[in-house]
Amino acid sequence: MKISIITPVYNEEENLDVFYERIKETFKTLSKTLTQPIEEEIIFIDDGSTDLSFQKIKGLAKIDKNIKGISLSKNHGSHTAISAGLSKATGDATIIIAADLQDPPELIVEFVKKWREGAQIVWGKRAKYEKSLLRACVNKIFYTLVKNLAIKTYPSTGTGSFCLIDRKIYQNLNRHLEHNRVTFGLIAYQGYKQDYVEYDRFKRERGSSGWDISKLIKAGLDTFLSFSYFPVRFMSIIGIITFAISTLGIIYTLWIWLAVGVKVPGWTTIIILMCIFNGLQFLMLGILGEYLWRVSDEVKCRPLYFIQDVTEENLN
Ligand code: UDP
Ligand code: MG
């Protein structure tokens, strides 16, 4: 049995040594709990770090033949980095885990246990969310909307970014070529048997989060736009409603003109209607623009990422 660890790395030089030690310890524990021998593979994908992360990875690869390192030419985003790692994985299952130790590697033992019991996807479910109450509420609303409007098989507590996936699933994932990819959405979307392991997520001890608000908004929008027809359907429904209102308005205006005659110019009404309909038109154009941008990204068929350096030749 072989387990692959997939870890995207963006400016994590201070975390890598401790991360590696904890992963090694976890594999020792894991092999004690299993009757059959276990092989490991740790794939680090350096996502265009500006610190010494990749030098660290190269150093680790020298002392441990199970370590593989890929350095991307620039910062592609952690989801693309994870895809790069998954395309090189060879395990019976892979564990996707961040390098910052917010998600405890020791939990991998539990993940593997659930997988061996039959789950093909095991999510790390965050029991206590360490961010603000506001963030927790936004997350809750977001997950409910995603589950109801986009991905029916999405876990109701969200996916998080710490999970185990069976070989079948990551091989399917490797066939997805889309650029604006929401990796964890694509995993849930496949519809395989899911389970979860609950845990408390730790605060980041070293380094800083690579996710800013604009990346979060983009990922949120991508989830809806690539898995749901709701935005387009919403536009159609608004279009039908405004068309109906406009038709009634035209009939009413004609009737007033013919039956009563026009006395008051109705400046306020015109301005309000103009504001409403202009606003709606721009909203619709915005939604169309979001689709157009993504469609144009996809038709170019550019490669998903560019590799700068590797720790062994066959990773190129
Ligand atoms: N990461 C990455 N590229 C990025 C941002 C982050 O590869 O552009 C990596 C990062 O090094 C970490 C994982 O993805 O191993 C999760 O990132 P982070 O801790 O910043 O996310 P958060 O915990 O805030 O969701
Ligand atoms: Mg983190």
PDB file of all heavy atoms in Angstrom, residues 178-181 214-223 225-226 284-302:
ATOM      1  N   GLU A 178      -9.541  22.210 -16.740  1.00  0.00           N
ATOM      2  CA  GLU A 178      -9.963  23.600 -16.599  1.00  0.00           C
ATOM      3  C   GLU A 178      -8.977  24.448 -15.798  1.00  0.00           C
ATOM      4  O   GLU A 178      -8.319  23.968 -14.877  1.00  0.00           O
ATOM      5  CB  GLU A 178     -11.361  23.668 -15.981  1.00  0.00           C
ATOM      6  CG  GLU A 178     -11.508  22.984 -14.652  1.00  0.00           C
ATOM      7  CD  GLU A 178     -12.923  22.476 -14.451  1.00  0.00           C
ATOM      8  OE1 GLU A 178     -13.251  21.424 -15.039  1.00  0.00           O
ATOM      9  OE2 GLU A 178     -13.682  23.125 -13.734  1.00  0.00           O
ATOM     10  N   HIS A 179      -8.899  25.711 -16.169  1.00  0.00           N
ATOM     11  CA  HIS A 179      -7.921  26.607 -15.558  1.00  0.00           C
ATOM     12  C   HIS A 179      -8.436  27.236 -14.271  1.00  0.00           C
ATOM     13  O   HIS A 179      -7.702  27.365 -13.311  1.00  0.00           O
ATOM     14  CB  HIS A 179      -7.546  27.716 -16.546  1.00  0.00           C
ATOM     15  CG  HIS A 179      -6.675  27.205 -17.643  1.00  0.00           C
ATOM     16  ND1 HIS A 179      -7.168  26.375 -18.620  1.00  0.00           N
ATOM     17  CD2 HIS A 179      -5.361  27.352 -17.879  1.00  0.00           C
ATOM     18  CE1 HIS A 179      -6.171  26.051 -19.437  1.00  0.00           C
ATOM     19  NE2 HIS A 179      -5.076  26.634 -19.004  1.00  0.00           N
ATOM     20  N   ASN A 180      -9.695  27.679 -14.289  1.00  0.00           N
ATOM     21  CA  ASN A 180     -10.236  28.326 -13.085  1.00  0.00           C
ATOM     22  C   ASN A 180     -10.761  27.224 -12.181  1.00  0.00           C
ATOM     23  O   ASN A 180     -11.945  27.081 -11.973  1.00  0.00           O
ATOM     24  CB  ASN A 180     -11.343  29.309 -13.474  1.00  0.00           C
ATOM     25  CG  ASN A 180     -10.781  30.422 -14.321  1.00  0.00           C
ATOM     26  OD1 ASN A 180     -10.073  31.278 -13.820  1.00  0.00           O
ATOM     27  ND2 ASN A 180     -11.056  30.396 -15.607  1.00  0.00           N
ATOM     28  N   ARG A 181      -9.838  26.426 -11.662  1.00  0.00           N
ATOM     29  CA  ARG A 181     -10.260  25.202 -10.990  1.00  0.00           C
ATOM     30  C   ARG A 181     -10.424  25.369  -9.486  1.00  0.00           C
ATOM     31  O   ARG A 181      -9.663  26.047  -8.818  1.00  0.00           O
ATOM     32  CB  ARG A 181      -9.299  24.069 -11.281  1.00  0.00           C
ATOM     33  CG  ARG A 181      -7.865  24.363 -10.975  1.00  0.00           C
ATOM     34  CD  ARG A 181      -7.004  23.139 -11.234  1.00  0.00           C
ATOM     35  NE  ARG A 181      -7.200  22.594 -12.555  1.00  0.00           N
ATOM     36  CZ  ARG A 181      -7.218  21.306 -12.860  1.00  0.00           C
ATOM     37  NH1 ARG A 181      -7.041  20.409 -11.937  1.00  0.00           N
ATOM     38  NH2 ARG A 181      -7.398  20.893 -14.081  1.00  0.00           N
ATOM     39  N   SER A 214      -9.103  38.945  -2.291  1.00  0.00           N
ATOM     40  CA  SER A 214      -9.447  38.861  -3.720  1.00  0.00           C
ATOM     41  C   SER A 214      -9.372  37.407  -4.206  1.00  0.00           C
ATOM     42  O   SER A 214     -10.191  36.962  -5.019  1.00  0.00           O
ATOM     43  CB  SER A 214      -8.556  39.775  -4.556  1.00  0.00           C
ATOM     44  OG  SER A 214      -7.241  39.303  -4.517  1.00  0.00           O
ATOM     45  N   LYS A 215      -8.382  36.616  -3.701  1.00  0.00           N
ATOM     46  CA  LYS A 215      -8.283  35.208  -4.106  1.00  0.00           C
ATOM     47  C   LYS A 215      -9.491  34.430  -3.583  1.00  0.00           C
ATOM     48  O   LYS A 215     -10.013  33.538  -4.256  1.00  0.00           O
ATOM     49  CB  LYS A 215      -7.001  34.584  -3.545  1.00  0.00           C
ATOM     50  CG  LYS A 215      -5.733  34.967  -4.290  1.00  0.00           C
ATOM     51  CD  LYS A 215      -4.556  34.161  -3.740  1.00  0.00           C
ATOM     52  CE  LYS A 215      -3.243  34.598  -4.351  1.00  0.00           C
ATOM     53  NZ  LYS A 215      -2.079  33.923  -3.729  1.00  0.00           N
ATOM     54  N   LEU A 216      -9.939  34.788  -2.363  1.00  0.00           N
ATOM     55  CA  LEU A 216     -11.097  34.102  -1.789  1.00  0.00           C
ATOM     56  C   LEU A 216     -12.355  34.380  -2.604  1.00  0.00           C
ATOM     57  O   LEU A 216     -13.139  33.481  -2.895  1.00  0.00           O
ATOM     58  CB  LEU A 216     -11.322  34.557  -0.330  1.00  0.00           C
ATOM     59  CG  LEU A 216     -10.406  33.930   0.722  1.00  0.00           C
ATOM     60  CD1 LEU A 216     -10.626  34.577   2.079  1.00  0.00           C
ATOM     61  CD2 LEU A 216     -10.668  32.422   0.824  1.00  0.00           C
ATOM     62  N   ILE A 217     -12.535  35.665  -2.995  1.00  0.00           N
ATOM     63  CA  ILE A 217     -13.722  36.029  -3.786  1.00  0.00           C
ATOM     64  C   ILE A 217     -13.688  35.303  -5.133  1.00  0.00           C
ATOM     65  O   ILE A 217     -14.676  34.736  -5.591  1.00  0.00           O
ATOM     66  CB  ILE A 217     -13.812  37.565  -3.980  1.00  0.00           C
ATOM     67  CG1 ILE A 217     -14.096  38.219  -2.619  1.00  0.00           C
ATOM     68  CG2 ILE A 217     -14.875  37.951  -4.999  1.00  0.00           C
ATOM     69  CD1 ILE A 217     -14.081  39.711  -2.610  1.00  0.00           C
ATOM     70  N   LYS A 218     -12.506  35.266  -5.745  1.00  0.00           N
ATOM     71  CA  LYS A 218     -12.367  34.586  -7.047  1.00  0.00           C
ATOM     72  C   LYS A 218     -12.731  33.099  -6.905  1.00  0.00           C
ATOM     73  O   LYS A 218     -13.481  32.553  -7.730  1.00  0.00           O
ATOM     74  CB  LYS A 218     -10.922  34.773  -7.542  1.00  0.00           C
ATOM     75  CG  LYS A 218     -10.484  33.888  -8.690  1.00  0.00           C
ATOM     76  CD  LYS A 218     -10.838  34.504 -10.020  1.00  0.00           C
ATOM     77  CE  LYS A 218     -10.291  33.783 -11.233  1.00  0.00           C
ATOM     78  NZ  LYS A 218     -10.293  32.346 -11.251  1.00  0.00           N
ATOM     79  N   ALA A 219     -12.228  32.455  -5.834  1.00  0.00           N
ATOM     80  CA  ALA A 219     -12.516  31.026  -5.636  1.00  0.00           C
ATOM     81  C   ALA A 219     -14.020  30.815  -5.406  1.00  0.00           C
ATOM     82  O   ALA A 219     -14.606  29.859  -5.920  1.00  0.00           O
ATOM     83  CB  ALA A 219     -11.711  30.481  -4.469  1.00  0.00           C
ATOM     84  N   GLY A 220     -14.639  31.736  -4.638  1.00  0.00           N
ATOM     85  CA  GLY A 220     -16.075  31.638  -4.378  1.00  0.00           C
ATOM     86  C   GLY A 220     -16.868  31.751  -5.671  1.00  0.00           C
ATOM     87  O   GLY A 220     -17.765  30.946  -5.950  1.00  0.00           O
ATOM     88  N   LEU A 221     -16.508  32.752  -6.489  1.00  0.00           N
ATOM     89  CA  LEU A 221     -17.216  32.951  -7.767  1.00  0.00           C
ATOM     90  C   LEU A 221     -17.006  31.748  -8.687  1.00  0.00           C
ATOM     91  O   LEU A 221     -17.948  31.256  -9.316  1.00  0.00           O
ATOM     92  CB  LEU A 221     -16.697  34.209  -8.462  1.00  0.00           C
ATOM     93  CG  LEU A 221     -17.290  35.527  -7.977  1.00  0.00           C
ATOM     94  CD1 LEU A 221     -16.651  36.696  -8.715  1.00  0.00           C
ATOM     95  CD2 LEU A 221     -18.802  35.552  -8.203  1.00  0.00           C
ATOM     96  N   ASP A 222     -15.757  31.248  -8.724  1.00  0.00           N
ATOM     97  CA  ASP A 222     -15.467  30.083  -9.577  1.00  0.00           C
ATOM     98  C   ASP A 222     -16.343  28.896  -9.207  1.00  0.00           C
ATOM     99  O   ASP A 222     -16.799  28.156 -10.082  1.00  0.00           O
ATOM    100  CB  ASP A 222     -13.992  29.672  -9.445  1.00  0.00           C
ATOM    101  CG  ASP A 222     -13.096  30.523 -10.313  1.00  0.00           C
ATOM    102  OD1 ASP A 222     -13.599  31.103 -11.283  1.00  0.00           O
ATOM    103  OD2 ASP A 222     -11.890  30.613 -10.012  1.00  0.00           O
ATOM    104  N   THR A 223     -16.566  28.711  -7.898  1.00  0.00           N
ATOM    105  CA  THR A 223     -17.366  27.569  -7.461  1.00  0.00           C
ATOM    106  C   THR A 223     -18.761  27.639  -8.071  1.00  0.00           C
ATOM    107  O   THR A 223     -19.284  26.648  -8.572  1.00  0.00           O
ATOM    108  CB  THR A 223     -17.467  27.539  -5.920  1.00  0.00           C
ATOM    109  OG1 THR A 223     -16.158  27.652  -5.398  1.00  0.00           O
ATOM    110  CG2 THR A 223     -18.109  26.262  -5.412  1.00  0.00           C
ATOM    111  N   LEU A 225     -19.738  29.649 -10.734  1.00  0.00           N
ATOM    112  CA  LEU A 225     -19.774  29.764 -12.183  1.00  0.00           C
ATOM    113  C   LEU A 225     -19.412  28.460 -12.877  1.00  0.00           C
ATOM    114  O   LEU A 225     -19.901  28.180 -13.969  1.00  0.00           O
ATOM    115  CB  LEU A 225     -18.854  30.897 -12.652  1.00  0.00           C
ATOM    116  CG  LEU A 225     -19.269  32.288 -12.152  1.00  0.00           C
ATOM    117  CD1 LEU A 225     -18.279  33.341 -12.612  1.00  0.00           C
ATOM    118  CD2 LEU A 225     -20.659  32.665 -12.652  1.00  0.00           C
ATOM    119  N   SER A 226     -18.570  27.625 -12.241  1.00  0.00           N
ATOM    120  CA  SER A 226     -18.200  26.414 -12.967  1.00  0.00           C
ATOM    121  C   SER A 226     -19.054  25.206 -12.606  1.00  0.00           C
ATOM    122  O   SER A 226     -18.977  24.187 -13.281  1.00  0.00           O
ATOM    123  CB  SER A 226     -16.708  26.095 -12.796  1.00  0.00           C
ATOM    124  OG  SER A 226     -16.439  25.759 -11.477  1.00  0.00           O
ATOM    125  N   MET A 284     -26.262  42.238 -15.138  1.00  0.00           N
ATOM    126  CA  MET A 284     -26.299  41.135 -16.115  1.00  0.00           C
ATOM    127  C   MET A 284     -25.023  41.105 -16.944  1.00  0.00           C
ATOM    128  O   MET A 284     -24.448  40.056 -17.197  1.00  0.00           O
ATOM    129  CB  MET A 284     -27.474  41.311 -17.096  1.00  0.00           C
ATOM    130  CG  MET A 284     -28.793  41.487 -16.433  1.00  0.00           C
ATOM    131  SD  MET A 284     -29.276  39.940 -15.717  1.00  0.00           S
ATOM    132  CE  MET A 284     -30.843  40.365 -15.096  1.00  0.00           C
ATOM    133  N   LEU A 285     -24.585  42.305 -17.383  1.00  0.00           N
ATOM    134  CA  LEU A 285     -23.359  42.355 -18.190  1.00  0.00           C
ATOM    135  C   LEU A 285     -22.176  41.836 -17.375  1.00  0.00           C
ATOM    136  O   LEU A 285     -21.307  41.135 -17.895  1.00  0.00           O
ATOM    137  CB  LEU A 285     -23.079  43.794 -18.640  1.00  0.00           C
ATOM    138  CG  LEU A 285     -23.890  44.259 -19.832  1.00  0.00           C
ATOM    139  CD1 LEU A 285     -23.581  45.727 -20.141  1.00  0.00           C
ATOM    140  CD2 LEU A 285     -23.561  43.412 -21.064  1.00  0.00           C
ATOM    141  N   GLY A 286     -22.170  42.179 -16.092  1.00  0.00           N
ATOM    142  CA  GLY A 286     -21.096  41.724 -15.209  1.00  0.00           C
ATOM    143  C   GLY A 286     -21.064  40.205 -15.145  1.00  0.00           C
ATOM    144  O   GLY A 286     -20.004  39.589 -15.289  1.00  0.00           O
ATOM    145  N   ILE A 287     -22.254  39.594 -14.957  1.00  0.00           N
ATOM    146  CA  ILE A 287     -22.313  38.129 -14.862  1.00  0.00           C
ATOM    147  C   ILE A 287     -21.851  37.511 -16.185  1.00  0.00           C
ATOM    148  O   ILE A 287     -21.034  36.595 -16.212  1.00  0.00           O
ATOM    149  CB  ILE A 287     -23.739  37.648 -14.496  1.00  0.00           C
ATOM    150  CG1 ILE A 287     -24.118  38.166 -13.105  1.00  0.00           C
ATOM    151  CG2 ILE A 287     -23.832  36.127 -14.533  1.00  0.00           C
ATOM    152  CD1 ILE A 287     -25.532  37.861 -12.659  1.00  0.00           C
ATOM    153  N   LEU A 288     -22.343  38.088 -17.297  1.00  0.00           N
ATOM    154  CA  LEU A 288     -21.907  37.580 -18.605  1.00  0.00           C
ATOM    155  C   LEU A 288     -20.397  37.696 -18.765  1.00  0.00           C
ATOM    156  O   LEU A 288     -19.734  36.796 -19.280  1.00  0.00           O
ATOM    157  CB  LEU A 288     -22.592  38.370 -19.729  1.00  0.00           C
ATOM    158  CG  LEU A 288     -24.005  37.954 -20.070  1.00  0.00           C
ATOM    159  CD1 LEU A 288     -24.529  38.787 -21.236  1.00  0.00           C
ATOM    160  CD2 LEU A 288     -24.035  36.471 -20.465  1.00  0.00           C
ATOM    161  N   GLY A 289     -19.868  38.842 -18.284  1.00  0.00           N
ATOM    162  CA  GLY A 289     -18.429  39.084 -18.375  1.00  0.00           C
ATOM    163  C   GLY A 289     -17.634  38.025 -17.618  1.00  0.00           C
ATOM    164  O   GLY A 289     -16.606  37.541 -18.102  1.00  0.00           O
ATOM    165  N   GLU A 290     -18.133  37.646 -16.427  1.00  0.00           N
ATOM    166  CA  GLU A 290     -17.443  36.613 -15.638  1.00  0.00           C
ATOM    167  C   GLU A 290     -17.349  35.311 -16.437  1.00  0.00           C
ATOM    168  O   GLU A 290     -16.326  34.632 -16.442  1.00  0.00           O
ATOM    169  CB  GLU A 290     -18.191  36.337 -14.322  1.00  0.00           C
ATOM    170  CG  GLU A 290     -18.193  37.502 -13.336  1.00  0.00           C
ATOM    171  CD  GLU A 290     -16.856  37.665 -12.623  1.00  0.00           C
ATOM    172  OE1 GLU A 290     -16.062  36.722 -12.573  1.00  0.00           O
ATOM    173  OE2 GLU A 290     -16.611  38.791 -12.126  1.00  0.00           O
ATOM    174  N   TYR A 291     -18.449  34.961 -17.125  1.00  0.00           N
ATOM    175  CA  TYR A 291     -18.438  33.736 -17.937  1.00  0.00           C
ATOM    176  C   TYR A 291     -17.484  33.882 -19.121  1.00  0.00           C
ATOM    177  O   TYR A 291     -16.698  32.996 -19.421  1.00  0.00           O
ATOM    178  CB  TYR A 291     -19.843  33.422 -18.472  1.00  0.00           C
ATOM    179  CG  TYR A 291     -20.702  32.702 -17.462  1.00  0.00           C
ATOM    180  CD1 TYR A 291     -21.671  33.359 -16.737  1.00  0.00           C
ATOM    181  CD2 TYR A 291     -20.521  31.343 -17.224  1.00  0.00           C
ATOM    182  CE1 TYR A 291     -22.446  32.705 -15.798  1.00  0.00           C
ATOM    183  CE2 TYR A 291     -21.288  30.671 -16.291  1.00  0.00           C
ATOM    184  CZ  TYR A 291     -22.247  31.357 -15.581  1.00  0.00           C
ATOM    185  OH  TYR A 291     -23.000  30.700 -14.651  1.00  0.00           O
ATOM    186  N   LEU A 292     -17.589  35.048 -19.765  1.00  0.00           N
ATOM    187  CA  LEU A 292     -16.791  35.280 -20.969  1.00  0.00           C
ATOM    188  C   LEU A 292     -15.299  35.175 -20.667  1.00  0.00           C
ATOM    189  O   LEU A 292     -14.524  34.569 -21.408  1.00  0.00           O
ATOM    190  CB  LEU A 292     -17.120  36.683 -21.492  1.00  0.00           C
ATOM    191  CG  LEU A 292     -16.984  36.876 -22.985  1.00  0.00           C
ATOM    192  CD1 LEU A 292     -17.923  35.936 -23.705  1.00  0.00           C
ATOM    193  CD2 LEU A 292     -17.295  38.324 -23.341  1.00  0.00           C
ATOM    194  N   TRP A 293     -14.909  35.745 -19.520  1.00  0.00           N
ATOM    195  CA  TRP A 293     -13.516  35.727 -19.083  1.00  0.00           C
ATOM    196  C   TRP A 293     -13.057  34.272 -18.921  1.00  0.00           C
ATOM    197  O   TRP A 293     -12.002  33.867 -19.419  1.00  0.00           O
ATOM    198  CB  TRP A 293     -13.449  36.521 -17.776  1.00  0.00           C
ATOM    199  CG  TRP A 293     -12.244  36.305 -16.915  1.00  0.00           C
ATOM    200  CD1 TRP A 293     -11.009  35.858 -17.306  1.00  0.00           C
ATOM    201  CD2 TRP A 293     -12.160  36.531 -15.503  1.00  0.00           C
ATOM    202  NE1 TRP A 293     -10.182  35.792 -16.229  1.00  0.00           N
ATOM    203  CE2 TRP A 293     -10.843  36.198 -15.115  1.00  0.00           C
ATOM    204  CE3 TRP A 293     -13.047  36.991 -14.542  1.00  0.00           C
ATOM    205  CZ2 TRP A 293     -10.419  36.306 -13.795  1.00  0.00           C
ATOM    206  CZ3 TRP A 293     -12.616  37.103 -13.239  1.00  0.00           C
ATOM    207  CH2 TRP A 293     -11.325  36.770 -12.871  1.00  0.00           C
ATOM    208  N   ARG A 294     -13.906  33.460 -18.273  1.00  0.00           N
ATOM    209  CA  ARG A 294     -13.519  32.064 -18.039  1.00  0.00           C
ATOM    210  C   ARG A 294     -13.531  31.259 -19.343  1.00  0.00           C
ATOM    211  O   ARG A 294     -12.651  30.434 -19.573  1.00  0.00           O
ATOM    212  CB  ARG A 294     -14.442  31.435 -16.989  1.00  0.00           C
ATOM    213  CG  ARG A 294     -14.066  31.912 -15.598  1.00  0.00           C
ATOM    214  CD  ARG A 294     -15.161  31.685 -14.604  1.00  0.00           C
ATOM    215  NE  ARG A 294     -14.766  32.131 -13.276  1.00  0.00           N
ATOM    216  CZ  ARG A 294     -14.784  33.384 -12.844  1.00  0.00           C
ATOM    217  NH1 ARG A 294     -15.176  34.356 -13.645  1.00  0.00           N
ATOM    218  NH2 ARG A 294     -14.406  33.697 -11.617  1.00  0.00           N
ATOM    219  N   VAL A 295     -14.518  31.516 -20.189  1.00  0.00           N
ATOM    220  CA  VAL A 295     -14.571  30.806 -21.472  1.00  0.00           C
ATOM    221  C   VAL A 295     -13.328  31.144 -22.276  1.00  0.00           C
ATOM    222  O   VAL A 295     -12.664  30.266 -22.840  1.00  0.00           O
ATOM    223  CB  VAL A 295     -15.851  31.180 -22.257  1.00  0.00           C
ATOM    224  CG1 VAL A 295     -15.781  30.653 -23.679  1.00  0.00           C
ATOM    225  CG2 VAL A 295     -17.077  30.617 -21.567  1.00  0.00           C
ATOM    226  N   SER A 296     -12.948  32.427 -22.286  1.00  0.00           N
ATOM    227  CA  SER A 296     -11.778  32.825 -23.067  1.00  0.00           C
ATOM    228  C   SER A 296     -10.518  32.180 -22.494  1.00  0.00           C
ATOM    229  O   SER A 296      -9.639  31.751 -23.233  1.00  0.00           O
ATOM    230  CB  SER A 296     -11.680  34.351 -23.146  1.00  0.00           C
ATOM    231  OG  SER A 296     -10.600  34.836 -22.453  1.00  0.00           O
ATOM    232  N   ASP A 297     -10.450  32.033 -21.162  1.00  0.00           N
ATOM    233  CA  ASP A 297      -9.320  31.326 -20.526  1.00  0.00           C
ATOM    234  C   ASP A 297      -9.236  29.888 -21.009  1.00  0.00           C
ATOM    235  O   ASP A 297      -8.161  29.377 -21.289  1.00  0.00           O
ATOM    236  CB  ASP A 297      -9.547  31.251 -19.002  1.00  0.00           C
ATOM    237  CG  ASP A 297      -8.766  32.315 -18.277  1.00  0.00           C
ATOM    238  OD1 ASP A 297      -8.095  33.110 -18.955  1.00  0.00           O
ATOM    239  OD2 ASP A 297      -8.850  32.357 -17.033  1.00  0.00           O
ATOM    240  N   GLU A 298     -10.392  29.238 -21.099  1.00  0.00           N
ATOM    241  CA  GLU A 298     -10.395  27.819 -21.430  1.00  0.00           C
ATOM    242  C   GLU A 298     -10.091  27.570 -22.906  1.00  0.00           C
ATOM    243  O   GLU A 298      -9.372  26.636 -23.230  1.00  0.00           O
ATOM    244  CB  GLU A 298     -11.737  27.161 -21.057  1.00  0.00           C
ATOM    245  CG  GLU A 298     -12.130  27.268 -19.590  1.00  0.00           C
ATOM    246  CD  GLU A 298     -11.093  26.738 -18.594  1.00  0.00           C
ATOM    247  OE1 GLU A 298     -10.293  25.870 -18.967  1.00  0.00           O
ATOM    248  OE2 GLU A 298     -11.082  27.212 -17.452  1.00  0.00           O
ATOM    249  N   VAL A 299     -10.636  28.422 -23.807  1.00  0.00           N
ATOM    250  CA  VAL A 299     -10.436  28.141 -25.237  1.00  0.00           C
ATOM    251  C   VAL A 299      -8.986  28.331 -25.663  1.00  0.00           C
ATOM    252  O   VAL A 299      -8.552  27.757 -26.653  1.00  0.00           O
ATOM    253  CB  VAL A 299     -11.349  28.978 -26.174  1.00  0.00           C
ATOM    254  CG1 VAL A 299     -12.797  28.569 -26.040  1.00  0.00           C
ATOM    255  CG2 VAL A 299     -11.170  30.449 -25.955  1.00  0.00           C
ATOM    256  N   LYS A 300      -8.235  29.095 -24.877  1.00  0.00           N
ATOM    257  CA  LYS A 300      -6.822  29.268 -25.235  1.00  0.00           C
ATOM    258  C   LYS A 300      -6.045  27.973 -25.021  1.00  0.00           C
ATOM    259  O   LYS A 300      -4.978  27.788 -25.608  1.00  0.00           O
ATOM    260  CB  LYS A 300      -6.210  30.377 -24.388  1.00  0.00           C
ATOM    261  CG  LYS A 300      -6.626  31.765 -24.831  1.00  0.00           C
ATOM    262  CD  LYS A 300      -5.966  32.788 -23.930  1.00  0.00           C
ATOM    263  CE  LYS A 300      -6.861  33.971 -23.719  1.00  0.00           C
ATOM    264  NZ  LYS A 300      -6.760  34.557 -22.400  1.00  0.00           N
ATOM    265  N   CYS A 301      -6.580  27.092 -24.174  1.00  0.00           N
ATOM    266  CA  CYS A 301      -5.945  25.786 -23.910  1.00  0.00           C
ATOM    267  C   CYS A 301      -4.479  25.898 -23.515  1.00  0.00           C
ATOM    268  O   CYS A 301      -3.646  25.093 -23.950  1.00  0.00           O
ATOM    269  CB  CYS A 301      -6.056  24.870 -25.130  1.00  0.00           C
ATOM    270  SG  CYS A 301      -7.699  24.270 -25.368  1.00  0.00           S
ATOM    271  N   ARG A 302      -4.144  26.930 -22.762  1.00  0.00           N
ATOM    272  CA  ARG A 302      -2.753  27.058 -22.333  1.00  0.00           C
ATOM    273  C   ARG A 302      -2.445  26.002 -21.277  1.00  0.00           C
ATOM    274  O   ARG A 302      -3.350  25.532 -20.599  1.00  0.00           O
ATOM    275  CB  ARG A 302      -2.530  28.443 -21.716  1.00  0.00           C
ATOM    276  CG  ARG A 302      -2.524  29.514 -22.757  1.00  0.00           C
ATOM    277  CD  ARG A 302      -2.257  30.860 -22.156  1.00  0.00           C
ATOM    278  NE  ARG A 302      -2.370  31.864 -23.189  1.00  0.00           N
ATOM    279  CZ  ARG A 302      -2.660  33.130 -22.974  1.00  0.00           C
ATOM    280  NH1 ARG A 302      -2.868  33.572 -21.763  1.00  0.00           N
ATOM    281  NH2 ARG A 302      -2.735  33.969 -23.986  1.00  0.00           N
TER     282      ARG A 302
END
